[in-house]
Amino acid sequence: MASSLNSAASLRLFASSSSSSSSAAARLSLRSTSLSFSSSLKSLAFSTLSRHKRGSAVSVSSTGGFSSVASPKCAASDPDQLKSAREDIKELLKSKFCHPILVRLGWHDAGTYNKNIEEWPRRGGANGSLRFEVELKHAANAGLVNALNLLQHIKDKYSGVTYADLFQLASATAIEEAGGPKIPMKYGRVDVSGPNECPEEGRLPAAGPPSPADHLREVFYRMGLNDKEIVALSGAHTLGRSRPDRSGWGKPETKYTKDGPGAPGGQSWTVQWLKFNNSYFKDIKAKRDEDLLVLPTDAVLFEDPSFKVYAEKYAEDQETFFKDYAEAHAKLSNLGAKFNPPED
């Protein structure tokens, strides 16, 4: 475990894996508020702030691990604590090189959303359910217990921040600190209260389905996303590595990953796999480097006629990619979320 926490963890956003994960959950001390602001937090534009009221808490186990005990129902997060939590996340990124796995954590919490189900939290989405063991054991979430362990001390320190908000804050901050665009985030997501409210397994995409284009559309259309957003979000694979022991994909190591940073190994999609840019699209299009990973769901972006329009554009124009990515990431981070107070 120690080596995992010191590694630049592998990333396959929304990909299946055969591994199972350790237990998760945590202590939760809650406050109610509503807020809206850019994840850069350089300027805050909070709307209709409610008074903060501390709630009951669930303790972390004496071993320091996570438990699957239900947490009390929570309200929105404290804006001052969110600002401080973001600064702590930035320091964590500098020391652990964990940008990829934090992006994946936020995506996998939000990516269970089903637009055809109205009821919260049965519809899935960004609700903090990924902290529970039952969901961590889903094949697509292999290794994400490491992300929870990385963030738990921040959650303990800022008990007025919900898990749902913390996961999305960490994901957006990781993108920005890796050189990516500023994400127009908002906060105030309510957490689910227990593991019985986790979504069923099977809502996240696989890496190598028989028909990659059909599979991507089936999964992402269910979330309410379109072809442009599918391609833009795929560009986040400019970050991270795939480890065969987790996902079943990629090489054990390459010339780009054998020396880390962090624990060595895995296969990256790009040469500079901790830098967010449009190289993912350039490298897939070129197909010149056998040490770079190209999954079936990556290759199809330049094979499917509709996907190809956007993939070609992003390979040529990083500014357009950044704009479209920021919008798609923000939309994804809000999927299925219940905000307190409710959105207009």
Side-chain angles (χ1 to χ4, degrees):
M1 179 66 72
S3 62
S4 296
L5 297 184
N6 287 318
S7 69
S10 64
L11 171 70
R12 170 62 206 173
L13 301 176
F14 292 146
S16 295
S17 170
S18 59
S19 302
S20 62
S21 303
S22 305
S23 60
R27 180 178 64 190
L28 194 54
S29 185
L30 308 159
R31 299 189 178 189
S32 100
T33 182
S34 71
L35 58 158
S36 175
F37 60 100
S38 162
S39 67
S40 69
L41 298 178
K42 290 181 179 177
S43 61
L44 298 176
F46 297 112
S47 59
T48 321
L49 293 179
S50 61
R51 293 184 180 275
H52 310 312
K53 183 177 180 181
R54 187 178 302 278
S56 56
V58 174
S59 298
V60 178
S61 68
S62 60
T63 60
F66 298 89
S67 72
S68 57
V69 176
S71 301
K73 289 189 179 299
C74 63
S77 301
D78 181 300
D80 292 328
Q81 290 196 23
L82 274 164
K83 287 192 289 183
S84 298
R86 182 175 186 269
E87 294 306 308
D88 285 11
I89 290 169
K90 288 166 66 175
E91 291 303 312
L92 179 69
L93 292 165
K94 291 176 184 176
S95 63
K96 301 294 185 181
F97 310 107
C98 54
H99 305 66
I101 202 170
L102 294 187
V103 175
R104 182 172 169 235
L105 179 69
W107 280 38
H108 281 218
D109 195 48
T112 59
Y113 176 62
N114 187 338
K115 69 177 184 180
N116 301 311
I117 301 175
E118 184 175 353
E119 180 188 354
W120 184 93
R122 197 168 65 87
R123 66 194 183 206
N127 58 29
S129 64
L130 191 47
R131 72 190 190 272
F132 292 113
E133 180 179 8
V134 64
E135 189 169 345
L136 280 171
K137 285 186 173 179
H138 293 179
N141 294 327
L144 283 180
V145 67
N146 295 334
L148 283 168
N149 282 324
L150 285 166
L151 290 176
Q152 187 56 40
H153 75 282
I154 297 176
K155 181 67 182 75
D156 292 342
K157 185 176 179 181
Y158 304 109
S159 57
V161 176
T162 64
Y163 278 100
D165 273 350
L166 182 62
F167 293 168
Q168 299 309 322
L169 174 63
S171 181
T173 303
I175 292 292
E176 294 174 6
E177 290 300 297
K182 299 297 182 185
I183 313 296
M185 300 289 288
K186 59 182 176 182
Y187 297 95
R189 297 170 187 78
V190 175
D191 279 345
V192 296
S193 59
N196 61 307
E197 295 179 315
C198 291
E200 73 280 2
E201 187 167 7
R203 294 193 184 188
L204 298 173
S211 179
D214 290 343
H215 176 72
L216 287 174
R217 289 193 173 97
E218 178 184 359
V219 173
F220 283 90
Y221 283 10
R222 186 209 69 220
M223 299 181 209
L225 300 174
N226 58 34
D227 285 1
K228 181 174 78 171
E229 291 161 336
I230 291 172
V231 180
L233 289 171
S234 295
H237 287 142
T238 189
L239 299 178
R241 302 170 284 180
S242 178
R243 294 182 181 274
D245 57 327
R246 292 185 184 177
S247 68
W249 293 90
K251 298 179 180 180
E253 70 173 28
T254 70
K255 61 188 176 186
Y256 303 123
T257 65
K258 62 184 179 66
D259 297 321
Q267 185 175 14
S268 60
W269 284 264
T270 62
V271 175
Q272 294 181 293
W273 46 270
L274 286 177
K275 183 175 182 179
F276 193 95
N277 54 32
N278 68 339
S279 61
Y280 166 79
F281 297 105
K282 292 180 177 180
D283 291 336
I284 292 176
K285 184 177 180 179
K287 295 182 179 179
R288 288 194 297 259
D289 195 332
E290 63 180 17
D291 270 344
L292 296 180
L293 182 63
V294 179
L295 298 171
T297 44
D298 299 317
V300 76
L301 301 182
F302 282 92
E303 296 167 355
D304 179 88
S306 178
F307 289 159
K308 185 176 181 179
V309 171
Y310 302 107
E312 292 277 5
K313 181 186 297 183
Y314 298 154
E316 298 297 325
D317 186 347
Q318 180 169 283
E319 184 177 351
T320 297
F321 166 53
F322 272 28
K323 176 181 178 295
D324 291 351
Y325 178 84
E327 293 173 357
H329 184 124
K331 181 176 179 178
L332 174 66
S333 75
N334 294 332
L335 294 181
K338 177 181 178 181
F339 288 89
N340 187 3
E343 296 179 285
D344 295 333

